Amino acid sequence: MVEWRNIILNICMFVPLGFLLPLMGNIFQNGWMTYLTGFLFSLFIEGVQLIAKRGIVEVNDLINNTVGCMIGYGMVMMVIELFKWFKCKNQNISFVKMGMIQLPLVITLLAFGLIFYSYDQKEFGNLRSAPVFQVNMSNIELISDLSFSDAVTQAAVYAANVGTKADTREVADQWFSYVGATIDDSQTDVYDETIIYYSTDRDYLIWVDFLGLAISFRDWTHWDSPKQAGYTLEEVTEILGTYGITLPKDVIFVDHRDGTYTLEAKMGEVNGYYLDGFIDCTITTDGSIESIRNHMIQYEEYKIVDILSEAQAFMQLKKGNVKEGYLKYLDLMEPIEVKAVSLQYEMDSKGYYQPMYHFEVLNHNQSASILIPAIP
């Protein structure tokens, strides 16, 4: 939703320009002149951003801005032609011309509709680590001494709970009940991916994500309270239990020695479901939680699917079917050596936990990770 919002806003931002230009002079009632002006103005903005090193310079912005200008032009020209028709009854309207100048709007709406429909029909969502385009690997040396299995295999896909606004409210109510507080609805902030709830006195706040109902909670009444280092895993587990948090048996536990603790689970089983993710919390000397980020998501097994073999996944990497960001900070003049491969998971945009091949690589004496989607 965030990505689509940016695209739509970039289009809408230039609609007023396309609308106003034809009103400023007859020269701009020529469609190509308005289109060119919109393109050049967008190019000027992107150029300023590039020189000033402010913002993100993208070709996508240039395209979206120009499309917005074209849509605005189509809207105002329809108004102008209708005005002329009402003013001079004997003047005919060229419906072909009116249809042609509305093509940018029609094509944009059809494209958006087709994309949204295609996404809705997909069983699984989009992955952040999935490649957008094929990377040119012709000048990149990829090596490995590993023997990759070519056996066709299967893996489970897991489903996380994708909450509604009512679900996030229920989670917030439960957390506030632990500290004897109530939600002040007048202060609630709703965003695309999360909702922030505040207590009536603003002593407490909680962020609740729709995806997985992950939370970040803050107790401002304990902001200045002394923090307690040295709690054992059993003691932290007991404290978290008073806030309704259940942990699997095998967790990675880290005491940061300043009153903050990290607990990490790798698909730990609890009562027929699985927990994966982390918890960061800060605990005071009286055993209260001053702050916590609970991103230990609950999953249930959804289905078993066929996945690529290790050899096939490595071949995808060699072909350049990899997200460009993984290569961005590597020295591509030096060989990239794959040192290990394992199967990990990543949550997609629909709340499914999909298998991913995790390649550990060594490049110019620096370690890095590359993820390749395992589902063909």
Side-chain angles (χ1 to χ4, degrees), residues 127 155-156 158 264 266-267 276 307 326 340-347 353-360 369-375:
L127 291 162
Y158 300 90
E264 187 175 357
K266 295 291 186 182
M267 296 306 288
D276 187 272
I307 63 171
Y326 289 121
V341 60
S342 60
L343 200 64
Q344 296 189 2
Y345 280 82
E346 180 179 302
M347 185 188 290
Y353 211 40
Q354 293 191 37
M356 307 280 292
Y357 277 108
H358 175 229
F359 290 94
E360 297 178 26
S369 297
I370 297 176
L371 291 178
I372 299 291
I375 299 177

Side-chain angles (χ1 to χ4, degrees), residues 73-353:
Y73 170 80
M75 294 168 61
V76 73
M77 288 307 297
M78 178 171 286
V79 172
I80 290 174
E81 290 299 320
L82 288 173
F83 178 77
K84 289 180 180 178
W85 182 78
F86 279 115
K87 187 176 180 180
C88 305
K89 294 294 185 178
N90 59 342
Q91 179 174 328
N92 294 325
I93 295 179
S94 173
F95 291 101
V96 174
K97 179 182 178 181
M98 288 298 97
M100 290 294 293
I101 62 177
Q102 299 308 318
L103 278 179
L105 175 60
V106 172
I107 293 173
T108 300
L109 293 176
L110 287 176
F112 277 28
L114 180 60
I115 292 170
F116 290 142
Y117 177 77
S118 300
Y119 175 78
D120 185 66
Q121 294 302 302
K122 287 172 53 178
E123 183 175 15
F124 303 124
N126 299 327
L127 291 162
R128 293 184 182 275
S129 298
V132 178
F133 54 85
Q134 192 172 45
V135 177
N136 182 5
M137 301 287 285
S138 58
N139 296 320
I140 300 175
E141 185 179 2
L142 190 66
I143 59 176
S144 181
D145 293 330
L146 299 178
S147 177
F148 297 106
S149 171
D150 59 1
V152 178
T153 185
Q154 294 182 317
V157 173
Y158 300 90
N161 183 18
V162 181
T164 63
K165 185 176 181 180
D167 293 328
T168 66
R169 172 60 186 257
E170 183 178 343
V171 170
D173 276 331
Q174 185 179 28
W175 268 87
F176 280 15
S177 70
Y178 297 139
V179 293
T182 56
I183 295 173
D184 183 353
D185 290 315
S186 66
Q187 302 185 66
T188 300
D189 294 325
V190 181
Y191 298 95
D192 295 320
E193 298 176 346
T194 190
I195 298 183
I196 308 175
Y197 296 96
Y198 297 87
S199 64
T200 52
D201 48 15
R202 292 185 73 91
D203 284 340
Y204 309 93
L205 69 85
I206 185 169
W207 301 57
V208 187
D209 296 340
F210 291 107
L211 203 56
L213 295 176
I215 66 101
S216 296
F217 175 79
R218 171 77 70 176
D219 178 353
W220 293 110
T221 65
H222 283 91
W223 174 254
D224 294 324
S225 300
K227 312 305 185 291
Q228 179 65 54
Y231 280 125
T232 64
L233 172 59
E234 290 74 20
E235 290 171 327
V236 172
T237 300
E238 183 178 351
I239 292 170
L240 293 176
T242 63
Y243 290 83
I245 297 176
T246 303
L247 299 174
K249 290 182 179 179
D250 298 321
V251 295
I252 301 171
F253 176 71
V254 179
D255 177 2
H256 297 284
R257 312 306 302 174
D258 59 357
T260 62
Y261 302 85
T262 297
L263 300 95
E264 187 175 357
K266 295 291 186 182
M267 296 306 288
E269 188 171 359
V270 178
N271 300 325
Y273 59 85
Y274 301 88
L275 289 174
D276 187 272
F278 68 92
I279 294 175
D280 287 331
C281 57
T282 302
I283 304 177
T284 63
T285 53
D286 65 355
S288 299
I289 291 180
E290 183 263 328
S291 65
I292 183 170
R293 293 175 63 210
N294 184 2
H295 285 245
M296 197 173 284
I297 309 299
Q298 178 179 317
Y299 298 91
E300 295 181 355
E301 186 173 308
Y302 172 68
K303 68 185 298 186
I304 303 296
V305 297
D306 294 329
I307 63 171
L308 301 174
S309 66
E310 291 180 354
Q312 289 172 326
F314 181 66
M315 186 58 63
Q316 292 296 310
L317 177 56
K318 292 186 69 173
K319 289 180 178 178
N321 293 324
V322 57
K323 187 170 183 179
E324 186 186 27
Y326 289 121
L327 306 177
K328 185 176 181 180
Y329 299 103
L330 300 181
D331 184 353
L332 302 183
M333 302 301 294
E334 297 289 333
I336 300 174
E337 183 180 4
V338 176
K339 304 295 292 184
V341 60
S342 60
L343 200 64
Q344 296 189 2
Y345 280 82
E346 180 179 302
M347 185 188 290
D348 68 23
S349 57
K350 289 187 177 181
Y352 293 105
Y353 211 40

